[in-house]
Amino acid sequence: MANAKVIQSKQESVDVIAGKLRESVSTVVVDYRGLNVAQVTELRKQLREAGIEFQVLKNSLVRRATAAAELSDLDAVLTGPTAIAFGTEDAVAPAKILNDFAKANEALELKGGVVEGRVVGADELKALASLPSRDGLLSMLLSVLQAPVRNFALAVKAVAEKDEQQSA
């Protein structure tokens, strides 16, 4: 009877992890060996502020969840102590925060992850982390879209000023 409860509990955990893998736009797997409690607490704080869920999970449960979510290619990085960051809003944010933290704390190592349903390696995560955030990209887009209107307005103003000078 107790054994059945344990198996059911583990299956529920696998289902939850598989659901998170499917729902997140960006999932980053890291090795946190060597980080002290204060560093892990600071990392969790930074991730929580960005709306990213960070969990230490058993590799065996995650492997079952990756099979259920059809992301078995991720199993290659599920060795040693593993923590996973699930980002549901911004695809860049988890990689950016974890990469920046890894630069300041050499003990943290990016192993791989899933970005928009595609399994990626550590190098691709680092490249993704170098991109501007979603808000930064939107700001750049807005600036590009406003440029023609701004240039037109300046041209009209210059013509109006020239006409005023000629009539004066």
Side-chain angles (χ1 to χ4, degrees):
M1 196 70 156
N3 202 15
K5 287 183 181 181
V6 170
I7 291 172
Q8 181 182 355
S9 171
K10 287 184 179 184
Q11 185 57 48
E12 288 171 3
S13 296
V14 168
D15 293 342
V16 168
I17 296 166
K20 288 179 183 178
L21 286 168
R22 284 188 204 102
E23 293 167 8
S24 64
V25 291
S26 180
T27 302
V28 180
V29 179
V30 297
D31 182 345
Y32 62 93
R33 249 185 306 212
L35 292 179
N36 62 36
V37 174
Q39 291 169 320
V40 172
T41 302
E42 176 60 26
L43 177 59
R44 285 182 185 274
K45 179 180 174 249
Q46 289 179 21
L47 291 167
R48 190 176 344 141
E49 288 172 354
I52 300 164
E53 187 176 347
F54 186 71
Q55 291 183 312
V56 175
L57 299 166
K58 292 182 82 168
N59 290 332
S60 59
L61 295 178
V62 177
R63 279 190 196 96
R64 290 176 187 224
T66 58
E70 298 178 3
L71 296 168
S72 296
D73 292 344
L74 190 62
D75 292 352
V77 298
L78 297 174
T79 57
T82 301
I84 302 178
F86 298 100
T88 56
E89 296 171 14
D90 188 353
V92 177
K96 184 179 259 339
I97 292 170
L98 289 165
N99 191 50
D100 290 348
F101 195 86
K103 286 178 185 175
N105 302 279
E106 293 179 11
L108 185 73
E109 176 192 348
L110 274 65
K111 294 178 166 184
V114 180
V115 178
E116 295 183 344
R118 193 172 69 84
V119 176
V120 296
D123 292 337
E124 289 178 82
L125 286 174
K126 290 175 183 173
L128 180 66
S130 67
L131 293 174
S133 68
R134 181 179 187 276
D135 291 340
L137 289 171
L138 289 174
S139 171
M140 288 178 194
L141 176 64
L142 183 61
S143 177
V144 168
L145 293 175
Q146 286 179 337
V149 174
R150 187 179 327 111
N151 292 341
F152 179 72
L154 290 173
V156 169
K157 181 179 176 186
V159 169
E161 287 175 356
K162 184 177 178 185
D163 287 347
E164 283 179 21
Q165 287 177 353
Q166 288 177 350
S167 64

